Amino acid sequence: MKDKYIIIVGCGRLGAHVAKMFTRSRNSLVMIDKDATAFSRLSEEYSGFTIEADAVEQDTLLRAKIDQADVLVATTDDDNTNIMIAQVAREIHHVPEVMLRIYDPSRAKIYEGTGITTICTTLLAAEAFGQALSSQEGVTLP
Amino acid sequence: MKDKYIIIVGCGRLGAHVAKMFTRSRNSLVMIDKDATAFSRLSEEYSGFTIEADAVEQDTLLRAKIDQADVLVATTDDDNTNIMIAQVAREIHHVPEVMLRIYDPSRAKIYEGTGITTICTTLLAAEAFGQALSSQEGVTLP
C-alpha cells in the first residue's frame, strides 16, 4: 500500500492533532505555519518537515513541493485563508485530496462535489450536542 | 412528551446554531452572553429569552432560573469558562444534563462519567479528516 505525501497548513490545536494522527501511520508530512512557535505543539514523535512561512503566498506551497502532494489539509484559524489555500491546491496544483476546516456553517456545503472536503467544526459540535440531548428521555428534537 | 428548559451560555457561532436547532423543537430556551451584540447571531425564529450578563457570576445563572433547568450548554470560546460554568451547573445547581464545548483535546475526557458531556471540536474535526483520508485508496491510518 502506497503511503501518502500530506501537507498540513496551520499548526494550531487541530493541525497539531492531525499531524499526530498521521505521524502514527507511515505517511510523509510537511507542516506549514507562519509562526514558528506554533511548531512547539507538534508531538515529540513528529518526524515530518516544518516550514515557517505564509501558505497564502504561492512560493510557500511550492517550497512544500505541493505538486507532489497527495493530500493538503488547511487548518488555520481563518475560514478565508483555508478556503483560499484549498482552492489554490485543488485548482492550480491539482492535489487529489484537499480538506479544510471551516467555522461558518453557512459556507460548509459550498464545496460539495468539487474534490474539496469541508469539515465544519460548528456543525459537528452542534450535531454532537443534539445527539447527546436526544439520547435524554423526553427531549423533542426536530 | 415533556419539553425541556435549556440554558445556553455563549452566543457565538456554535451557541447560535445550537439555539436554532433547539428552537425548531418545542423546548424553552434562554441564551446568556456578556456581549449583547452577540444576540444578533440568533435566527429570526428564536423565541427564547436573552440575558446580557457574565455567566461566571453566579447571580446570572440564578436570573436564568438555573434551578429549573433541565439542560445547560456551555459554548463560550474559552475552555476554562465553559468548564467553570458546567461545574457550577452540575455540582451546585444539580442540572440533570450539562454539556460543554472544549478545544483542548487533553482535557476532553476529564468529565467522563460525571454527568457532564464534553464535546471537543478539535477531536471531532481530526476524526472527520481521518475518516475522509482513510476513505481514499492507499492511505495508511493507525
Side-chain angles (χ1 to χ4, degrees):
Chain A
M1 196 179 273
K2 184 180 166 291
D3 295 329
K4 298 276 177 171
Y5 180 47
I6 302 174
I7 299 174
I8 303 170
V9 180
C11 197
R13 281 204 189 94
L14 178 57
H17 197 80
V18 169
K20 186 177 177 181
M21 199 165 63
F22 294 146
T23 294
R24 290 177 189 154
S25 61
R26 294 167 300 151
N27 304 303
S28 300
L29 300 181
V30 174
M31 173 65 81
I32 302 174
D33 200 293
K34 58 184 173 185
D35 176 9
T37 63
F39 299 135
S40 66
R41 293 195 179 94
L42 291 168
S43 61
E44 285 181 13
E45 68 249 50
Y46 179 75
S47 59
F49 290 97
T50 57
I51 296 178
E52 178 193 359
D54 187 346
V56 170
E57 296 169 18
Q58 199 174 344
D59 178 58
T60 302
L61 294 176
L62 293 174
R63 279 171 59 200
K65 300 184 181 172
I66 190 167
D67 291 318
Q68 299 173 34
D70 301 295
V71 181
L72 180 137
V73 188
T75 72
T76 80
D77 262 347
D78 183 69
D79 281 2
N80 288 328
T81 300
N82 291 339
I83 289 169
M84 187 183 307
I85 292 166
Q87 285 178 329
V88 168
R90 182 68 187 164
E91 290 165 22
I92 298 179
H93 299 287
H94 309 292
V95 176
E97 176 72 14
V98 176
M99 301 191 262
L100 65 100
R101 184 258 302 275
I102 205 161
Y103 290 111
D104 185 353
S106 68
R107 300 162 88 180
K109 292 190 173 181
I110 293 176
Y111 298 102
E112 277 183 0
T114 62
I116 296 178
T117 301
T118 305
I119 303 295
C120 178
T121 45
T122 305
L123 288 177
L124 285 176
E127 285 165 12
F129 282 135
Q131 285 169 7
L133 253 193
S134 62
S135 71
Q136 302 299 310
E137 184 194 19
V139 171
T140 314
L141 277 177
Chain B
M1 195 180 275
K2 184 180 166 291
D3 295 330
K4 298 276 176 169
Y5 180 47
I6 302 174
I7 298 174
I8 302 171
V9 181
C11 197
R13 281 203 189 94
L14 178 57
H17 197 81
V18 169
K20 185 177 178 181
M21 198 166 63
F22 294 145
T23 294
R24 290 178 189 154
S25 62
R26 294 167 300 154
N27 304 302
S28 300
L29 300 181
V30 174
M31 172 65 81
I32 303 173
D33 200 293
K34 58 185 173 183
D35 175 10
T37 63
F39 298 135
S40 65
R41 293 195 180 95
L42 291 168
S43 61
E44 286 181 13
E45 68 250 49
Y46 179 75
S47 60
F49 290 98
T50 57
I51 296 177
E52 179 192 357
D54 187 347
V56 170
E57 295 169 19
Q58 200 175 343
D59 178 56
T60 303
L61 293 177
L62 292 174
R63 279 172 58 201
K65 301 184 180 174
I66 191 166
D67 291 318
Q68 298 173 34
D70 301 295
V71 181
L72 180 138
V73 189
T75 72
T76 80
D77 261 346
D78 183 70
D79 281 2
N80 288 328
T81 299
N82 291 340
I83 289 169
M84 188 183 306
I85 292 166
Q87 286 178 329
V88 168
R90 182 69 188 164
E91 290 164 22
I92 298 179
H93 300 286
H94 310 292
V95 176
E97 177 70 15
V98 176
M99 300 191 264
L100 65 100
R101 184 258 301 275
I102 205 162
Y103 290 112
D104 185 353
S106 68
R107 300 162 87 179
K109 293 190 172 180
I110 293 175
Y111 298 102
E112 277 182 0
T114 62
I116 296 177
T117 301
T118 306
I119 304 296
C120 177
T121 44
T122 306
L123 288 177
L124 284 175
E127 285 164 12
F129 282 136
Q131 285 168 7
L133 253 193
S134 61
S135 71
Q136 302 299 309
E137 184 194 17
V139 171
T140 313
L141 279 177

